[in-house]
Amino acid sequence: LVRRKKMVKVAALPGKAVVKKRTKKFARHFSNRFIKIRNSSWRRIHGIDSRVRRRFKGTIPQPKIGYGSDKATKHKLPNGFYKFLVYNVKELELLMMHNRTYAAEIAHSVSVQKRKAIIERAEQLNIKVTNANAKLRTEEA
């Protein structure tokens, strides 16, 4: 009978809180008028007479550099870690000294067999894996 010691859950280092300047998606111009573009993503307006392009008062907001994230918290996940894409166990070793800053994310193309090895090694190194439960099936007894 082999007993495995339960690892302490690794927590991110305390840092600056992530503040988003805007969480709503930018609406495409005239998306309220035409059903065919109702839920489409933002497209820049190019019309020569466009009120939106010319930024008249009362028109819809457009994406601009001022909506960008704070440099200190850019790409930070809600749990406080930064994402690091991992393809094999060797790449996981890079996070050994940075396990409080970066969390491993197993690439989607990695097989189940390699995934199990990566997750097992991450547990030993006390590294958080964001998608540890992906592609794992429980065996039916």
Side-chain angles (χ1 to χ4, degrees), residues 97-119:
M97 300 301 291
H98 307 284
N99 66 340
R100 303 271 319 269
T101 312
Y102 290 92
E105 181 162 301
I106 304 169
H108 84 281
S109 58
V110 177
S111 67
V112 176
Q113 191 180 355
K114 265 192 182 174
R115 267 172 201 275
K116 286 178 182 172
I118 291 169
I119 292 163

Side-chain angles (χ1 to χ4, degrees), residues 19-116:
V19 176
K20 302 278 186 202
K21 292 179 189 165
R22 184 183 167 94
T23 53
K24 264 171 83 174
K25 289 225 188 298
F26 287 98
R28 184 175 171 181
H29 185 43
F30 282 144
S31 64
N32 60 334
R33 197 178 282 192
F34 301 108
I35 292 169
K36 63 184 175 182
I37 59 168
R38 173 71 36 96
N39 297 318
S40 59
S41 57
W42 169 258
R43 305 280 179 91
R44 177 106 179 100
I45 301 108
H46 295 287
I48 54 168
D49 296 327
S50 174
R51 299 161 63 228
V52 176
R53 184 190 58 79
R54 294 194 288 167
R55 300 197 189 123
F56 281 17
K57 204 193 299 184
T59 56
I60 59 168
Q62 298 181 69
K64 42 186 166 223
I65 201 69
Y67 288 113
S69 297
D70 183 354
K71 199 186 274 186
T73 61
K74 197 171 190 169
H75 305 298
K76 194 181 254 190
L77 300 172
N79 62 9
F81 287 100
Y82 290 98
K83 211 187 288 187
F84 184 81
L85 204 60
V86 169
Y87 287 89
N88 54 44
V89 179
K90 194 177 178 189
E91 288 179 3
L92 193 69
E93 310 285 329
L94 296 170
L95 300 180
M96 198 185 303
M97 300 301 291
H98 307 284
N99 66 340
R100 303 271 319 269
T101 312
Y102 290 92
E105 181 162 301
I106 304 169
H108 84 281
S109 58
V110 177
S111 67
V112 176
Q113 191 180 355
K114 265 192 182 174
R115 267 172 201 275
K116 286 178 182 172

